[in-house]
Amino acid sequence: MAVPTHVLRLAVADFRNHALFQAEPGPARIVLLAGPNGAGKTNLLEALSLLSPGRGLRGARLADMARVGGPGAFRVAATVRTDPGVPPIVLHTFTEGRAPGRRVLDVNGAAAPLASLAQWFPVLWATPEMDRLFAGPASERRRFLDRLALALFPDHSRHATRYEAALRARARLLAGDRPWDPDWLASLEAEMALHGMALAEARRTTVARLAARLTAADDGRFPAPRLSLVGDAPTADWRARLEAARPADAAAGRATDAPHRVDLFACHPVSGLPAAQASTGEQKAMLISLLLAHAALVADLTRRVPLLLLDEAGAHLDATRRRALLDRLDALGGQAWLSATEARLFDPDRVALVPVGPPDAR
């Protein structure tokens, strides 16, 4: 059985617009940050997203997270219960004024590597910028897919980094004067083939598992999108194809035989229309359905229920789907932090309300 994670207490200092903010929702499954626009609800979700490795839900620079007019550094501390039978732990991540671009971590007061955050619990999120994911550029869907794959395959980011480095180095080499160094090109193409195949396999497996989970969880209240990958799949002869494509790639200034540019395609389960052609509300509902299916899949595979962060969770959802969202979050068994401008959108008996006032009210 998967172990739930609960953030029992959150405290931030000098983070974005918050000089100081504290919330103690305890073991509540659904926490609602409610307040007017500009109060800093998304900022608090961003702070929570820093309980995972990486740059958080905005992908921002650390220096940009420090409060303007503050000391030039921020602190995020969370008391977290990762197992009902184990005492809570305190995760404390922060920057320092002398090194605003470096984030450090301590666990229960002892220094720990940032990478160790991954061992405590997975963190997944959805933001308003993702509401039009299906209608946006393919590059955004690839980044989204890679984030989903990373939760299932810890080596995915390493393969992506190595692949991109080899891709860029090959492009620079082909842009230079001929004759090209055949040994250096062969080495780069071997790197691309090795790591590209690993990327492709992780993406394919992630989509296949998600598709099965979506079908199994489809109760008719949230549309479960039908997923597939579009584009050329890497094959065993990809290295040879890269070698053959050198002249064309040199002329184009990019890799023309590029199975790394696959796209995540989704269609509505009832109408069969591409998700990009669905209404904004339907696209939002399909995105949430996808995220919840992914959370359940991660829980099954890692035995830990992810912490979910849903910014403006009620936007574009009608009352029926808002109730269905709470039902699905309850069934997942972990904890979710939602934000909304109006608390009345959600049943007060089902959420732990955390008011977030305007900055001048604190």
Side-chain angles (χ1 to χ4, degrees):
M1 182 175 181
V3 177
T5 297
H6 291 87
V7 176
L8 306 176
R9 180 178 183 271
L10 172 69
V12 303
D14 295 306
F15 187 85
R16 296 289 189 178
N17 68 318
H18 297 283
L20 180 66
F21 189 96
Q22 299 182 54
E24 296 191 38
R29 282 191 175 180
I30 303 175
V31 182
L32 179 64
L33 301 171
N37 292 327
K41 303 181 297 297
T42 303
N43 295 339
L44 295 174
L45 293 181
E46 182 181 30
L48 283 165
S49 73
L50 295 181
L51 299 179
S52 64
R55 299 172 63 177
L57 61 79
R58 282 190 174 107
R61 298 187 312 138
L62 293 172
D64 293 337
M65 300 180 193
R67 183 172 63 92
V68 175
F74 67 80
R75 294 181 177 272
V76 176
T79 302
V80 179
R81 188 176 68 192
T82 59
D83 190 317
V86 176
I89 59 171
V90 177
L91 302 177
H92 180 205
T93 185
F94 55 95
T95 58
E96 298 173 316
R98 64 178 179 272
R102 177 175 176 268
R103 180 161 69 101
V104 293
L105 170 73
D106 67 52
V107 180
N108 288 338
L114 278 173
S116 67
L117 283 169
Q119 80 184 56
W120 298 110
F121 52 87
V123 183
L124 307 177
W125 57 77
T127 66
E129 290 74 21
M130 295 163 60
D131 286 356
R132 299 292 290 177
L133 175 76
F134 301 117
S139 59
E140 292 297 324
R141 286 186 292 279
R142 277 194 298 276
R143 276 193 285 270
F144 175 74
L145 175 57
D146 284 339
R147 186 157 60 83
L148 299 184
L150 180 60
L152 306 182
F153 300 94
D155 279 349
H156 193 67
S157 61
R158 180 179 66 86
H159 288 301
T161 299
R162 297 286 295 273
Y163 176 84
E164 290 294 334
L167 178 70
R168 289 192 298 269
R170 179 177 179 270
R172 288 194 299 269
L173 188 58
L174 291 177
D177 294 333
R178 298 192 191 192
W180 302 310
D181 183 334
D183 293 335
W184 182 225
L185 270 176
S187 174
L188 292 173
E189 289 162 354
E191 281 277 293
M192 289 177 64
L194 174 66
H195 297 292
M197 292 287 284
L199 282 177
E201 179 60 20
R203 289 167 174 168
R204 185 196 65 77
T205 302
T206 298
V207 170
R209 290 176 175 174
L210 274 175
R213 174 67 64 170
L214 282 162
T215 300
D218 191 356
D219 60 3
R221 295 191 295 173
F222 264 100
R226 303 297 183 251
L227 302 179
S228 60
L229 284 177
V230 178
D232 292 334
T235 58
D237 66 344
W238 190 14
R239 183 175 173 181
R241 287 163 51 188
L242 286 168
E243 181 178 354
R246 289 172 186 175
D249 292 355
R254 59 180 177 82
T256 54
D257 186 5
H260 61 284
R261 292 179 178 168
V262 296
D263 194 3
L264 176 64
F265 178 77
C267 66
H268 194 280
V270 177
S271 69
L273 287 173
Q277 298 178 20
S279 69
T280 301
E282 288 294 279
Q283 289 189 46
K284 175 66 173 281
M286 284 189 278
L287 175 63
I288 289 179
S289 184
L290 178 55
L291 185 72
L292 293 175
H294 183 244
L297 180 59
V298 170
D300 282 350
L301 295 177
T302 67
R303 314 315 299 167
R304 291 194 176 277
V305 183
L307 176 68
L308 290 180
L309 311 175
L310 305 179
D311 195 13
E312 294 297 339
H316 309 304
L317 299 181
D318 57 29
T320 299
R321 281 188 173 153
R322 288 196 297 270
R323 288 193 296 270
L325 173 61
L326 298 186
D327 290 343
R328 293 282 294 274
L329 292 175
D330 270 333
L332 191 59
Q335 189 183 56
W337 288 62
L338 284 55
S339 74
T341 53
E342 297 182 79
R344 64 179 181 82
L345 292 176
F346 295 93
D347 184 345
D349 295 328
R350 303 187 64 183
V351 300
L353 178 63
V354 177
V356 184
D360 60 358
R362 290 190 296 277

